[in-house]
Amino acid sequence: MNAHDLTRSRWVFRTAARLPALIPLLVAGLGLASCDGGGTPARSMGEPPIDIEDMTFRGGIAGATAFTMVRSAAAQAAGCLARASADVTIVSLGPVEVMTVNVRGLPANTEFDFFVTQVPNAPFGLSWYQGDIETDGRGRGSGVFVGRFNIETFIVAPGSTDAPVVHDEPPFPDAAKNPATAPVHTFHVGLWFNSPEDARAAGCPATVTPFNGDHTAGIQALSTRNFPDQHGPLRDVE
């Protein structure tokens, strides 16, 4: 880890450390109550189980799970993004995890979209949009995402029902109904070009995919295909 990465990582984890204090305020603001099964208030979430701000980086991050992302199968097949990779760190705060993604070797000043996926390669299976990462002038970027990123991460739909159609333009219009599915675990992560034009400019195919907010993304740039399909890295986070 160089000095730039160290400074950036420290800033990310100082920010993450403040997130637990905001959660009760958000719950109160929404008029929600935290209760146990009998309707009595549950215990306070309290402080995070580890002090992120005071952690040292000499032997890795205490209590964290770390792994790498590699160039996607599509990028490798096209011979583009030869130096692209990412370091991912997940820290559990108890009720949620904080996932920090540091990317490098990507095109400069370019937007990308980050997803949790069922499998790392096409057809990807059930996938969940987390947010965006934008690279700087050196092709580096960072994203911090808060959610359930561990062995319990899953998607479920007990039945089919009507769904809102917000984007109705081809080639990937919204579905008007969801498919019913039993719980499906999603243990992989992937990063997509936000636009086919950006992918083309980087020497990659200009294929259109549904992996951004309006379903007009480019190809996958990074993935966790360095892990088995049925054992993505989130499965190892307890």
Side-chain angles (χ1 to χ4, degrees), residues 65-74 76 84-88 104 114 117-122 124 187-191 220-234 236:
T65 299
F67 58 90
T68 59
M69 298 176 68
V70 299
R71 180 169 60 153
S72 72
Q76 183 179 42
S85 65
D87 295 322
V88 181
R104 69 179 71 82
F114 188 73
T117 66
Q118 183 179 338
V119 294
N121 301 312
F124 304 112
F187 292 143
H188 285 274
V189 295
L191 189 73
Q220 188 186 51
L222 296 172
S223 75
T224 47
R225 66 186 181 89
N226 45 324
F227 290 82
D229 282 4
Q230 301 303 307
H231 201 118
L234 302 191
D236 293 324

CSV table of all heavy atoms in Angstrom, one decimal, residues 65-74 76 84-88 104 114 117-122 124 187-191 220-234 236:
chain,number,residue,atom,x,y,z
A,65,THR,N,-12.3,-8.4,6.5
A,65,THR,CA,-12.1,-9.4,5.4
A,65,THR,C,-11.7,-8.6,4.1
A,65,THR,O,-12.3,-7.7,3.7
A,65,THR,CB,-13.4,-10.1,5.1
A,65,THR,OG1,-13.8,-10.8,6.3
A,65,THR,CG2,-13.2,-11.1,4.0
A,66,ALA,N,-10.6,-9.1,3.6
A,66,ALA,CA,-10.0,-8.4,2.4
A,66,ALA,C,-9.9,-9.4,1.2
A,66,ALA,O,-9.5,-10.6,1.4
A,66,ALA,CB,-8.7,-7.8,2.7
A,67,PHE,N,-10.1,-8.9,0.0
A,67,PHE,CA,-10.0,-9.7,-1.2
A,67,PHE,C,-9.7,-8.8,-2.4
A,67,PHE,O,-9.9,-7.6,-2.3
A,67,PHE,CB,-11.2,-10.7,-1.4
A,67,PHE,CG,-12.5,-10.0,-1.5
A,67,PHE,CD1,-13.0,-9.5,-2.8
A,67,PHE,CD2,-13.3,-9.7,-0.4
A,67,PHE,CE1,-14.2,-8.9,-2.9
A,67,PHE,CE2,-14.5,-9.1,-0.5
A,67,PHE,CZ,-15.0,-8.7,-1.8
A,68,THR,N,-9.4,-9.4,-3.5
A,68,THR,CA,-9.1,-8.6,-4.7
A,68,THR,C,-10.2,-8.9,-5.8
A,68,THR,O,-10.8,-10.0,-5.8
A,68,THR,CB,-7.7,-8.9,-5.3
A,68,THR,OG1,-7.6,-10.4,-5.6
A,68,THR,CG2,-6.6,-8.6,-4.3
A,69,MET,N,-10.4,-8.0,-6.7
A,69,MET,CA,-11.1,-8.1,-7.9
A,69,MET,C,-10.1,-8.1,-9.0
A,69,MET,O,-9.1,-7.5,-9.0
A,69,MET,CB,-12.2,-7.0,-8.0
A,69,MET,CG,-13.2,-7.0,-6.9
A,69,MET,SD,-14.3,-5.6,-7.1
A,69,MET,CE,-15.2,-6.0,-8.6
A,70,VAL,N,-10.5,-8.8,-10.1
A,70,VAL,CA,-9.6,-9.0,-11.2
A,70,VAL,C,-10.3,-8.5,-12.5
A,70,VAL,O,-11.5,-8.3,-12.5
A,70,VAL,CB,-9.1,-10.4,-11.4
A,70,VAL,CG1,-8.3,-10.8,-10.2
A,70,VAL,CG2,-10.2,-11.4,-11.7
A,71,ARG,N,-9.6,-8.4,-13.6
A,71,ARG,CA,-10.1,-8.0,-14.9
A,71,ARG,C,-11.2,-9.0,-15.3
A,71,ARG,O,-11.1,-10.2,-15.1
A,71,ARG,CB,-9.0,-8.0,-15.9
A,71,ARG,CG,-9.5,-7.7,-17.3
A,71,ARG,CD,-8.3,-7.4,-18.2
A,71,ARG,NE,-7.4,-8.6,-18.4
A,71,ARG,CZ,-6.6,-8.8,-19.5
A,71,ARG,NH1,-6.7,-7.9,-20.5
A,71,ARG,NH2,-5.8,-9.8,-19.5
A,72,SER,N,-12.3,-8.6,-15.7
A,72,SER,CA,-13.5,-9.4,-16.0
A,72,SER,C,-13.2,-10.4,-17.2
A,72,SER,O,-12.2,-10.1,-18.0
A,72,SER,CB,-14.7,-8.6,-16.4
A,72,SER,OG,-14.5,-8.0,-17.7
A,73,ALA,N,-14.0,-11.4,-17.3
A,73,ALA,CA,-13.8,-12.3,-18.5
A,73,ALA,C,-14.0,-11.6,-19.8
A,73,ALA,O,-13.3,-11.9,-20.8
A,73,ALA,CB,-14.8,-13.5,-18.3
A,74,ALA,N,-15.0,-10.7,-19.8
A,74,ALA,CA,-15.2,-10.0,-21.1
A,74,ALA,C,-14.0,-9.1,-21.5
A,74,ALA,O,-13.6,-9.0,-22.6
A,74,ALA,CB,-16.5,-9.1,-21.0
A,76,GLN,N,-10.9,-9.5,-20.5
A,76,GLN,CA,-9.7,-10.4,-20.8
A,76,GLN,C,-9.9,-10.9,-22.3
A,76,GLN,O,-8.9,-10.9,-23.0
A,76,GLN,CB,-9.6,-11.5,-19.9
A,76,GLN,CG,-8.4,-12.4,-20.1
A,76,GLN,CD,-8.3,-13.5,-19.1
A,76,GLN,OE1,-9.3,-14.2,-18.8
A,76,GLN,NE2,-7.1,-13.8,-18.7
A,84,ALA,N,-6.0,-3.5,-14.9
A,84,ALA,CA,-7.1,-3.2,-14.0
A,84,ALA,C,-7.2,-4.2,-12.8
A,84,ALA,O,-7.1,-5.4,-13.1
A,84,ALA,CB,-8.5,-3.1,-14.7
A,85,SER,N,-7.5,-3.7,-11.6
A,85,SER,CA,-7.7,-4.6,-10.5
A,85,SER,C,-8.4,-3.7,-9.4
A,85,SER,O,-8.5,-2.5,-9.5
A,85,SER,CB,-6.4,-5.2,-10.0
A,85,SER,OG,-5.5,-4.2,-9.5
A,86,ALA,N,-8.7,-4.4,-8.3
A,86,ALA,CA,-9.3,-3.6,-7.1
A,86,ALA,C,-9.0,-4.4,-5.9
A,86,ALA,O,-8.9,-5.6,-5.8
A,86,ALA,CB,-10.8,-3.5,-7.3
A,87,ASP,N,-8.9,-3.6,-4.8
A,87,ASP,CA,-8.8,-4.2,-3.4
A,87,ASP,C,-10.1,-3.9,-2.7
A,87,ASP,O,-10.6,-2.8,-2.7
A,87,ASP,CB,-7.6,-3.6,-2.7
A,87,ASP,CG,-6.3,-4.0,-3.3
A,87,ASP,OD1,-6.1,-5.1,-3.7
A,87,ASP,OD2,-5.4,-3.1,-3.3
A,88,VAL,N,-10.7,-4.9,-2.1
A,88,VAL,CA,-11.9,-4.8,-1.4
A,88,VAL,C,-11.7,-5.1,0.1
A,88,VAL,O,-11.1,-6.2,0.4
A,88,VAL,CB,-13.0,-5.6,-2.0
A,88,VAL,CG1,-14.3,-5.4,-1.3
A,88,VAL,CG2,-13.2,-5.4,-3.5
A,104,ARG,N,-7.9,0.4,-9.5
A,104,ARG,CA,-6.8,1.0,-10.1
A,104,ARG,C,-6.6,0.4,-11.5
A,104,ARG,O,-7.2,-0.6,-11.8
A,104,ARG,CB,-5.5,0.7,-9.3
A,104,ARG,CG,-5.1,-0.7,-9.3
A,104,ARG,CD,-3.8,-1.0,-8.5
A,104,ARG,NE,-4.0,-0.8,-7.1
A,104,ARG,CZ,-4.6,-1.8,-6.4
A,104,ARG,NH1,-4.9,-2.9,-6.9
A,104,ARG,NH2,-4.7,-1.6,-5.1
A,114,PHE,N,-21.2,-0.4,-9.6
A,114,PHE,CA,-20.8,-1.5,-8.7
A,114,PHE,C,-22.0,-2.3,-8.3
A,114,PHE,O,-23.0,-1.8,-7.9
A,114,PHE,CB,-20.1,-1.0,-7.5
A,114,PHE,CG,-19.5,-2.0,-6.6
A,114,PHE,CD1,-18.3,-2.7,-7.0
A,114,PHE,CD2,-20.0,-2.4,-5.4
A,114,PHE,CE1,-17.7,-3.7,-6.3
A,114,PHE,CE2,-19.5,-3.3,-4.6
A,114,PHE,CZ,-18.3,-4.0,-5.0
A,117,THR,N,-23.5,-9.7,-7.2
A,117,THR,CA,-24.0,-10.6,-8.1
A,117,THR,C,-24.1,-12.0,-7.6
A,117,THR,O,-23.4,-12.4,-6.6
A,117,THR,CB,-23.2,-10.6,-9.5
A,117,THR,OG1,-21.9,-11.1,-9.2
A,117,THR,CG2,-23.1,-9.2,-10.0
A,118,GLN,N,-24.8,-12.8,-8.3
A,118,GLN,CA,-25.0,-14.2,-7.9
A,118,GLN,C,-23.7,-15.0,-8.3
A,118,GLN,O,-23.2,-15.8,-7.6
A,118,GLN,CB,-26.2,-14.8,-8.5
A,118,GLN,CG,-26.5,-16.3,-8.1
A,118,GLN,CD,-27.8,-16.8,-8.8
A,118,GLN,OE1,-28.7,-16.0,-9.2
A,118,GLN,NE2,-27.9,-18.1,-9.0
A,119,VAL,N,-23.3,-14.8,-9.6
A,119,VAL,CA,-22.1,-15.5,-10.1
A,119,VAL,C,-21.2,-14.4,-10.7
A,119,VAL,O,-21.7,-13.3,-11.1
A,119,VAL,CB,-22.4,-16.6,-11.0
A,119,VAL,CG1,-23.0,-17.8,-10.3
A,119,VAL,CG2,-23.2,-16.2,-12.2
A,120,PRO,N,-19.9,-14.6,-10.9
A,120,PRO,CA,-19.0,-13.5,-11.4
A,120,PRO,C,-19.1,-13.3,-12.9
A,120,PRO,O,-18.7,-12.2,-13.3
A,120,PRO,CB,-17.7,-14.0,-10.9
A,120,PRO,CG,-17.7,-15.5,-10.9
A,120,PRO,CD,-19.1,-15.8,-10.5
A,121,ASN,N,-19.5,-14.3,-13.6
A,121,ASN,CA,-19.4,-14.1,-15.1
A,121,ASN,C,-20.9,-14.2,-15.7
A,121,ASN,O,-21.8,-14.6,-15.0
A,121,ASN,CB,-18.6,-15.3,-15.7
A,121,ASN,CG,-17.2,-15.2,-15.2
A,121,ASN,OD1,-16.5,-14.2,-15.2
A,121,ASN,ND2,-16.7,-16.4,-14.8
A,122,ALA,N,-21.0,-13.8,-16.9
A,122,ALA,CA,-22.3,-13.9,-17.6
A,122,ALA,C,-22.9,-15.4,-17.5
A,122,ALA,O,-22.1,-16.3,-17.6
A,122,ALA,CB,-22.2,-13.5,-19.1
A,124,PHE,N,-24.5,-13.9,-14.9
A,124,PHE,CA,-24.5,-13.1,-13.6
A,124,PHE,C,-25.5,-13.5,-12.6
A,124,PHE,O,-25.3,-13.3,-11.4
A,124,PHE,CB,-24.5,-11.6,-13.9
A,124,PHE,CG,-23.4,-11.2,-14.8
A,124,PHE,CD1,-23.7,-10.7,-16.0
A,124,PHE,CD2,-22.1,-11.3,-14.4
A,124,PHE,CE1,-22.7,-10.3,-16.9
A,124,PHE,CE2,-21.1,-10.9,-15.3
A,124,PHE,CZ,-21.4,-10.4,-16.5
A,187,PHE,N,-23.0,-13.8,-3.6
A,187,PHE,CA,-21.7,-13.7,-2.9
A,187,PHE,C,-20.6,-13.1,-3.7
A,187,PHE,O,-19.5,-13.0,-3.2
A,187,PHE,CB,-21.3,-15.0,-2.4
A,187,PHE,CG,-22.2,-15.6,-1.3
A,187,PHE,CD1,-22.5,-17.0,-1.2
A,187,PHE,CD2,-22.7,-14.8,-0.3
A,187,PHE,CE1,-23.2,-17.5,-0.2
A,187,PHE,CE2,-23.5,-15.3,0.7
A,187,PHE,CZ,-23.8,-16.7,0.8
A,188,HIS,N,-20.9,-12.6,-4.9
A,188,HIS,CA,-19.9,-12.0,-5.8
A,188,HIS,C,-20.1,-10.5,-6.0
A,188,HIS,O,-21.2,-10.0,-5.7
A,188,HIS,CB,-19.9,-12.7,-7.1
A,188,HIS,CG,-19.3,-14.1,-7.1
A,188,HIS,ND1,-17.9,-14.3,-7.3
A,188,HIS,CD2,-19.8,-15.3,-7.0
A,188,HIS,CE1,-17.7,-15.6,-7.2
A,188,HIS,NE2,-18.8,-16.2,-7.0
A,189,VAL,N,-19.1,-9.8,-6.4
A,189,VAL,CA,-19.2,-8.4,-6.8
A,189,VAL,C,-18.6,-8.2,-8.2
A,189,VAL,O,-17.7,-8.9,-8.6
A,189,VAL,CB,-18.6,-7.5,-5.7
A,189,VAL,CG1,-19.3,-7.6,-4.4
A,189,VAL,CG2,-17.1,-7.8,-5.6
A,190,GLY,N,-19.1,-7.1,-8.8
A,190,GLY,CA,-18.6,-6.8,-10.1
A,190,GLY,C,-18.8,-5.3,-10.4
A,190,GLY,O,-19.6,-4.6,-9.8
A,191,LEU,N,-17.9,-4.8,-11.3
A,191,LEU,CA,-17.9,-3.4,-11.7
A,191,LEU,C,-18.1,-3.3,-13.2
A,191,LEU,O,-17.4,-3.9,-14.0
A,191,LEU,CB,-16.6,-2.8,-11.3
A,191,LEU,CG,-16.5,-1.2,-11.4
A,191,LEU,CD1,-17.3,-0.5,-10.3
A,191,LEU,CD2,-15.0,-0.8,-11.3
A,220,GLN,N,-18.8,-5.4,-18.3
A,220,GLN,CA,-18.1,-5.6,-17.0
A,220,GLN,C,-16.6,-5.4,-17.1
A,220,GLN,O,-16.0,-5.9,-18.0
A,220,GLN,CB,-18.4,-7.0,-16.4
A,220,GLN,CG,-18.0,-7.2,-15.0
A,220,GLN,CD,-18.2,-8.6,-14.5
A,220,GLN,OE1,-17.7,-9.5,-15.2
A,220,GLN,NE2,-18.8,-8.8,-13.4
A,221,ALA,N,-16.1,-4.6,-16.2
A,221,ALA,CA,-14.7,-4.3,-16.2
A,221,ALA,C,-13.9,-5.2,-15.2
A,221,ALA,O,-12.8,-5.7,-15.5
A,221,ALA,CB,-14.4,-2.8,-15.8
A,222,LEU,N,-14.5,-5.3,-13.9
A,222,LEU,CA,-13.8,-6.1,-12.9
A,222,LEU,C,-14.8,-7.0,-12.3
A,222,LEU,O,-16.0,-6.8,-12.3
A,222,LEU,CB,-13.3,-5.2,-11.8
A,222,LEU,CG,-12.2,-4.2,-12.1
A,222,LEU,CD1,-11.9,-3.2,-11.0
A,222,LEU,CD2,-10.9,-4.9,-12.5
A,223,SER,N,-14.3,-8.2,-11.8
A,223,SER,CA,-15.2,-9.1,-11.2
A,223,SER,C,-14.4,-9.9,-10.1
A,223,SER,O,-13.2,-9.8,-9.9
A,223,SER,CB,-15.8,-10.1,-12.2
A,223,SER,OG,-14.8,-11.0,-12.6
A,224,THR,N,-15.2,-10.8,-9.4
A,224,THR,CA,-14.5,-11.8,-8.5
A,224,THR,C,-14.5,-13.2,-9.1
A,224,THR,O,-14.7,-14.2,-8.4
A,224,THR,CB,-15.2,-11.8,-7.1
A,224,THR,OG1,-16.7,-11.8,-7.3
A,224,THR,CG2,-14.9,-10.5,-6.4
A,225,ARG,N,-14.2,-13.2,-10.4
A,225,ARG,CA,-14.1,-14.5,-11.1
A,225,ARG,C,-12.9,-15.3,-10.6
A,225,ARG,O,-12.7,-16.5,-10.9
A,225,ARG,CB,-14.1,-14.4,-12.6
A,225,ARG,CG,-12.8,-13.7,-13.1
A,225,ARG,CD,-13.0,-13.5,-14.6
A,225,ARG,NE,-11.8,-12.8,-15.2
A,225,ARG,CZ,-10.7,-13.5,-15.6
A,225,ARG,NH1,-10.7,-14.8,-15.6
A,225,ARG,NH2,-9.7,-12.8,-16.1
A,226,ASN,N,-12.0,-14.7,-9.8
A,226,ASN,CA,-10.9,-15.4,-9.1
A,226,ASN,C,-11.4,-16.2,-8.0
A,226,ASN,O,-10.6,-16.9,-7.3
A,226,ASN,CB,-9.9,-14.4,-8.7
A,226,ASN,CG,-10.4,-13.2,-8.0
A,226,ASN,OD1,-11.5,-12.7,-8.3
A,226,ASN,ND2,-9.7,-12.7,-7.0
A,227,PHE,N,-12.7,-16.2,-7.7
A,227,PHE,CA,-13.3,-17.1,-6.7
A,227,PHE,C,-14.3,-18.1,-7.4
A,227,PHE,O,-14.8,-17.7,-8.5
A,227,PHE,CB,-14.1,-16.3,-5.7
A,227,PHE,CG,-13.3,-15.5,-4.7
A,227,PHE,CD1,-12.8,-14.2,-5.1
A,227,PHE,CD2,-12.9,-15.9,-3.5
A,227,PHE,CE1,-12.0,-13.5,-4.3
A,227,PHE,CE2,-12.2,-15.2,-2.6
A,227,PHE,CZ,-11.7,-13.9,-3.0
A,228,PRO,N,-14.6,-19.2,-6.8
A,228,PRO,CA,-15.5,-20.2,-7.4
A,228,PRO,C,-16.9,-19.6,-7.6
A,228,PRO,O,-17.3,-18.8,-6.7
A,228,PRO,CB,-15.5,-21.4,-6.5
A,228,PRO,CG,-14.2,-21.3,-5.7
A,228,PRO,CD,-13.9,-19.8,-5.6
A,229,ASP,N,-17.7,-20.0,-8.5
A,229,ASP,CA,-19.0,-19.5,-8.7
A,229,ASP,C,-19.9,-19.7,-7.5
A,229,ASP,O,-20.6,-18.8,-7.1
A,229,ASP,CB,-19.7,-20.3,-9.9
A,229,ASP,CG,-19.3,-19.8,-11.3
A,229,ASP,OD1,-18.4,-18.9,-11.3
A,229,ASP,OD2,-19.8,-20.3,-12.3
A,230,GLN,N,-19.8,-20.8,-6.8
A,230,GLN,CA,-20.6,-21.1,-5.6
A,230,GLN,C,-20.0,-20.7,-4.3
A,230,GLN,O,-20.5,-20.9,-3.3
A,230,GLN,CB,-20.9,-22.6,-5.6
A,230,GLN,CG,-21.7,-23.1,-6.8
A,230,GLN,CD,-23.0,-22.3,-7.1
A,230,GLN,OE1,-23.8,-22.2,-6.2
A,230,GLN,NE2,-23.1,-21.8,-8.3
A,231,HIS,N,-18.8,-20.0,-4.4
A,231,HIS,CA,-18.2,-19.6,-3.2
A,231,HIS,C,-17.5,-18.2,-3.4
A,231,HIS,O,-16.3,-18.1,-3.3
A,231,HIS,CB,-17.1,-20.6,-2.7
A,231,HIS,CG,-16.8,-20.5,-1.2
A,231,HIS,ND1,-17.0,-21.5,-0.3
A,231,HIS,CD2,-16.3,-19.4,-0.5
A,231,HIS,CE1,-16.7,-21.1,0.9
A,231,HIS,NE2,-16.2,-19.9,0.8
A,232,GLY,N,-18.3,-17.2,-3.6
A,232,GLY,CA,-17.8,-15.8,-3.8
A,232,GLY,C,-17.3,-15.3,-2.5
A,232,GLY,O,-17.6,-15.9,-1.4
A,233,PRO,N,-16.5,-14.2,-2.5
A,233,PRO,CA,-15.9,-13.8,-1.3
A,233,PRO,C,-16.8,-13.4,-0.1
A,233,PRO,O,-16.4,-13.4,1.0
A,233,PRO,CB,-15.0,-12.6,-1.8
A,233,PRO,CG,-15.7,-12.2,-3.0
A,233,PRO,CD,-16.2,-13.4,-3.6
A,234,LEU,N,-18.0,-12.9,-0.4
A,234,LEU,CA,-18.9,-12.5,0.7
A,234,LEU,C,-19.3,-13.7,1.5
A,234,LEU,O,-19.7,-13.6,2.7
A,234,LEU,CB,-20.2,-11.8,0.1
A,234,LEU,CG,-20.0,-10.6,-0.8
A,234,LEU,CD1,-21.3,-9.9,-1.0
A,234,LEU,CD2,-19.0,-9.6,-0.1
A,236,ASP,N,-17.4,-15.8,2.9
A,236,ASP,CA,-16.5,-15.9,3.9
A,236,ASP,C,-16.6,-14.9,5.0
A,236,ASP,O,-15.8,-14.9,6.0
A,236,ASP,CB,-15.0,-15.9,3.4
A,236,ASP,CG,-14.8,-17.2,2.5
A,236,ASP,OD1,-15.3,-18.2,2.8
A,236,ASP,OD2,-14.1,-17.0,1.5
